[in-house]
Amino acid sequence: MWEELKVYKQLDKAEINPTFKKFGATLLSFTNGFKLDQTASIIKLSREINQLEQAIFIEKDKGTYNLKVRTSIKPVDFYRKHKYTMLNIVPLCDILNNHRRTSFPLTQEWNDLAVYLATRIKTEIEKYFETHGSYYKIIAKRKEIEPKDFGLDNKYELLIYAAIRTKNKELLNQYLDKKMSRPVMGITQSEYLKPDSNEIDESVFLQSVKSFALTGDFISIEKEIAKACGQN
């Protein structure tokens, strides 16, 4: 078992990228209900439940053997359409309550690592996704989600959608005010790899939503979201 290994055998430099590609396909084969998107340095396993995209991102640090594993929960109709946008970013080590483990080595034991991570997905990550599996559950756990500061966790975006979908006017205005104090969404490392020129002006979008939020006009807010997503 991978977690019992004391010593790892490093891959030759030329083997890293081909192995990473195989690693993504193997990990997908060990899990159920997820789809795979992959680049030379990112593996994204995702599924859609209750209008939410639940995803696991595995990123290969440039020039190293290390893999970072993080989870993301994002509205399926989020106003930023980039495939690799992450919201409510939570590292796997936080879910496992093992804050010392911040990365995993991609080595000759990569297949054993895939089995280990697939097991974590089926147990701890599935449990985490279940507790955040609807907009009502997200609102119920909002105190755990609300950010302590403005990093790249991109949590207010998820909370704004949750307040819209649960028609909670008070929380929506509160989260919009928080977000609009720092209106430009942080860009994750993933998104730098494939820049998208079709993104909307986030500040203009938030101001438009705010104008309707003041009166609790959720119908008009949903129309703004649909417009941002190119659904009309």
Side-chain angles (χ1 to χ4, degrees), residues 12 18-19 29 49 82 97 99 128 146-147 169 177 190 197 214:
D12 290 338
T19 299
S29 72
I49 293 177
H82 197 292
N97 292 318
H99 302 291
Y128 171 76
E146 290 172 1
K169 176 183 173 182
D177 288 342
S190 301
S197 61
L214 290 171

Side-chain angles (χ1 to χ4, degrees), residues 71-75 78-79 86-91 94 128 132 138 141-163 175 178-179 185-186:
T71 63
S72 165
I73 300 176
K74 181 180 72 174
F78 188 54
Y79 58 83
M86 288 188 273
L87 294 189
N88 191 44
I89 301 166
V90 178
D94 288 0
Y128 171 76
H132 298 76
I138 289 168
K141 288 189 169 290
R142 65 186 181 278
K143 293 299 182 183
E144 300 175 17
I145 298 174
E146 290 172 1
K148 303 298 185 293
D149 54 32
F150 278 90
L152 291 181
D153 292 346
N154 299 333
K155 297 181 185 296
Y156 278 124
E157 290 82 354
L158 177 62
L159 291 167
I160 286 169
Y161 266 76
Y175 292 140
K178 288 282 190 180
K179 174 60 188 171
M185 177 178 170

